[in-house]
Amino acid sequence: MLYLILSIICSVTVGVIFKTSKKYTANISQIVAWNYIFAIVLCYLFFKPDLQTVTNDAPWELYIPLSILLPSVFVFLALSIKHMGIVKTDAAQRLSLFIPVIAAYFLFEESFSVYKIIGLAVGFPAIALILSKKDNNTENKWLYPAIVLFGFGTVDVLFKNIALQTSLPFTTSLFVIFCGALVIAWLYVIYELIVKKEKFCLFNFAFGALVGIFNFCNILFYLYAHKEFAKDPSVVFAGMNMGVIVLGSLAGIFVFREKMTRLNYLGLFMALCAIIFITLSQMQSA
């Protein structure tokens, strides 16, 4: 259980770091770019990827879109935390599980149980309630957590396809994807430096290092948790999703004083119920 708790803490900490970076007017793109340098180094040290197995036959049709999506979604994650807060962003990220669930039905022809249908029926209204916000801002900032939801859901579907590949270890594929994401992230940073005249800042390096370390530790502890609960993967699945929503909500409300309406609180409660029903459906089919 310790690994699962550590994974939850690391996941929420990434959001806290992005939220804190707002005070220093840090550049999100540079933070994400620096993050991948540290993630790659740690991935190489801990997972020892066998790069000789990466040939032309590797699933590049999955590597390339993931290399583009990961840094892109990461930027929107930071923007969502900045404009909408940790509570709504963490909830949107965890509710992204509905995308692979729906994909499982249409792409992998999995059957839908009553629990799964109830989970989806409760989950979609929960999303609307969580993202509802009364203010005088005419900008569509609710789009940020919406993109986070659909972005992470798409990434999850692609990673599930990579998990089905038997020619390469998952950790090797993860290393290759991190390298691709690094290239994409730094290309955009260079574009900002040349075209938008952005400046380098040590704050970006510092925040990028912290994000990279905690983001990698989140993945590392999550994998260890799955090994610990090899016979009960639903425990990890449910614990991770509910834990992040609860801890993220506590951090947003009590640490950063994020304002929540009654509808937002109702949405969070419904989100937890939806995740429980989805988990029950997995346990039922196991």
Side-chain angles (χ1 to χ4, degrees):
M1 187 62 70
L2 176 62
Y3 291 128
L4 181 58
I5 294 173
L6 289 174
S7 181
I8 292 170
I9 293 173
C10 289
S11 179
V12 174
T13 301
V14 170
V16 171
I17 294 169
F18 275 127
K19 184 75 172 180
T20 305
S21 69
K22 180 182 178 181
K23 299 179 181 179
Y24 299 90
T25 62
N27 182 284
I28 294 173
S29 302
Q30 290 181 31
I31 292 175
V32 171
W34 285 116
N35 144 76
Y36 283 114
I37 291 180
F38 286 88
I40 287 171
V41 171
L42 291 172
C43 185
Y44 185 82
L45 292 176
F46 279 87
F47 295 148
K48 307 294 184 184
D50 185 5
L51 299 180
Q52 293 183 348
T53 59
V54 182
T55 63
N56 293 332
D57 295 329
W60 293 101
E61 70 279 3
L62 299 175
Y63 290 168
I64 294 174
L66 277 170
S67 297
I68 297 172
L69 276 174
L70 279 181
S72 303
V73 174
F74 225 155
V75 168
F76 280 106
L77 176 74
L79 289 172
S80 178
I81 291 171
K82 178 180 178 180
H83 294 291
M84 299 293 286
I86 293 177
V87 178
K88 297 181 179 182
T89 302
D90 277 340
Q93 183 180 354
R94 293 302 148 185
L95 283 171
S96 66
L97 67 96
F98 294 122
I99 305 298
V101 167
I102 294 172
Y105 178 78
F106 290 102
L107 299 180
F108 305 110
E109 298 181 351
E110 291 185 13
S111 60
F112 268 31
S113 65
V114 174
Y115 285 135
K116 193 171 292 186
I117 293 173
I118 294 175
L120 291 172
V122 174
F124 286 114
I127 295 170
L129 292 174
I130 289 171
L131 300 185
S132 64
K133 182 179 181 182
K134 291 183 178 181
D135 56 22
N136 297 322
N137 193 345
T138 57
E139 296 183 31
N140 293 326
K141 292 180 179 179
W142 59 268
L143 282 175
Y144 295 142
I147 292 174
V148 167
L149 190 153
F150 287 104
F152 274 101
T154 303
V155 166
D156 194 24
V157 172
L158 293 173
F159 268 125
K160 285 183 183 295
N161 277 278
I162 285 182
L164 297 175
Q165 306 290 324
T166 57
S167 58
L168 285 173
F170 180 80
T171 50
T172 300
S173 294
L174 185 65
F175 181 83
V176 174
I177 293 166
F178 276 167
C179 289
L182 174 72
V183 173
I184 298 298
W186 277 102
L187 284 175
Y188 187 73
V189 168
I190 293 172
Y191 163 79
E192 284 190 327
L193 292 173
I194 297 175
V195 178
K196 295 186 176 181
K197 306 300 180 182
E198 294 283 351
K199 296 181 180 179
F200 256 179
C201 179
L202 289 178
F203 284 124
N204 298 323
F205 174 82
F207 283 122
L210 290 173
V211 170
I213 292 170
F214 281 100
N215 189 36
F216 174 80
C217 288
N218 170 33
I219 296 172
L220 181 67
F221 291 134
Y222 188 69
L223 292 175
Y224 280 145
H226 269 295
K227 287 184 178 180
E228 184 179 3
F229 294 97
K231 295 182 179 179
D232 298 295
S234 294
V235 173
V236 180
F237 177 80
M240 188 66 188
N241 284 280
M242 289 186 287
V244 167
I245 289 180
V246 172
L247 186 59
S249 298
L250 292 175
I253 295 169
F254 293 106
V255 178
F256 296 103
R257 304 297 180 183
E258 295 179 3
K259 295 181 180 179
M260 299 284 288
T261 66
R262 292 181 180 179
L263 290 179
N264 295 151
Y265 283 115
L266 176 60
L268 286 172
F269 175 74
M270 291 175 65
L272 289 173
C273 291
I275 291 172
I276 290 172
F277 279 115
I278 294 294
T279 305
L280 288 173
S281 72
Q282 288 191 324
M283 295 174 65
Q284 190 180 53
S285 60

